[in-house]
Amino acid sequence: QVQLVESGGGSVQAGGSLRLSCAATRYISSDYAMGWFRQAPGKEREFVATISWSGGSVKYADSVKGRCTISRDNVKNMVFLQMNSLNSEDTAVYYCAQGRWPRNSDKEYEYRYWGQGTQVTVSS
């Protein structure tokens, strides 16, 4: 079973940037898409960004489009989420997940392995 560990979260002021990382304790198959989701206090988990197996196709939630960049390094078994121009609405626990298929997806049910999450707090 793949285990995913997120890092890079923390507290930042509005307008700041963070780079989240997701490392696999075991091999992440380059055959599968990867994604980032987030859950804010009192809200359901929501899609943030996804990247296909090759990295050639990406998709973002409208709320982060233009401010976030997802990338992956299949050699190092890592996935990244660069977040810029952060605001208070970005405050959430961010989760990394491995998809069931090579194509990217914004649907939670199309992801089979999940990390424990990393907290991002943006203060205004």
Side-chain angles (χ1 to χ4, degrees), residues 4-15:
L4 305 173
V5 180
E6 302 93 338
S7 63
S11 297
V12 63
Q13 289 190 332

Side-chain angles (χ1 to χ4, degrees), residues 8-19 67 82-91 94 119-124:
S11 297
V12 63
Q13 289 190 332
S17 299
L18 283 174
R19 188 189 192 214
R67 300 188 297 117
Q82 176 68 42
M83 303 190 297
N84 301 321
S85 302
L86 288 163
N87 57 64
S88 58
E89 294 184 350
D90 295 315
T91 294
Y94 284 71
Q119 176 71 48
V120 171
T121 303
V122 183
S123 58
S124 56

Side-chain angles (χ1 to χ4, degrees), residues 5 17-18 28 35 38 42 47 56 58 69 75 79 81 102 104 108 113 115-117 119-120 124:
V5 180
S17 299
L18 283 174
I28 288 182
R38 67 186 182 185
F47 163 74
V58 297
T69 301
V75 174
V79 181
L81 184 68
N104 56 28
E108 283 194 42
Y113 297 119
Q116 294 299 308
Q119 176 71 48
V120 171
S124 56

Side-chain angles (χ1 to χ4, degrees), residues 1-2 6 8 23 28 36 43 51 58 62 69 71 78 81-82 87 90 93 95 100-101 113 115 118:
Q1 182 174 347
V2 173
E6 302 93 338
I28 288 182
W36 286 94
K43 295 185 178 181
I51 186 167
V58 297
D62 288 342
T69 301
S71 60
M78 296 190 71
L81 184 68
Q82 176 68 42
N87 57 64
D90 295 315
V93 177
Y95 298 91
R100 300 178 185 273
W101 318 108
Y113 297 119
T118 184

Side-chain angles (χ1 to χ4, degrees), residues 35-75:
W36 286 94
F37 291 76
R38 67 186 182 185
Q39 186 168 20
K43 295 185 178 181
E44 294 187 352
R45 189 158 57 187
E46 64 176 6
F47 163 74
V48 177
T50 179
I51 186 167
S52 64
W53 69 276
S54 66
S57 177
V58 297
K59 181 178 180 180
Y60 300 95
D62 288 342
S63 59
V64 304
K65 197 173 295 182
R67 300 188 297 117
C68 291
T69 301
I70 187 172
S71 60
R72 66 189 295 165
D73 185 331
N74 288 342
V75 174

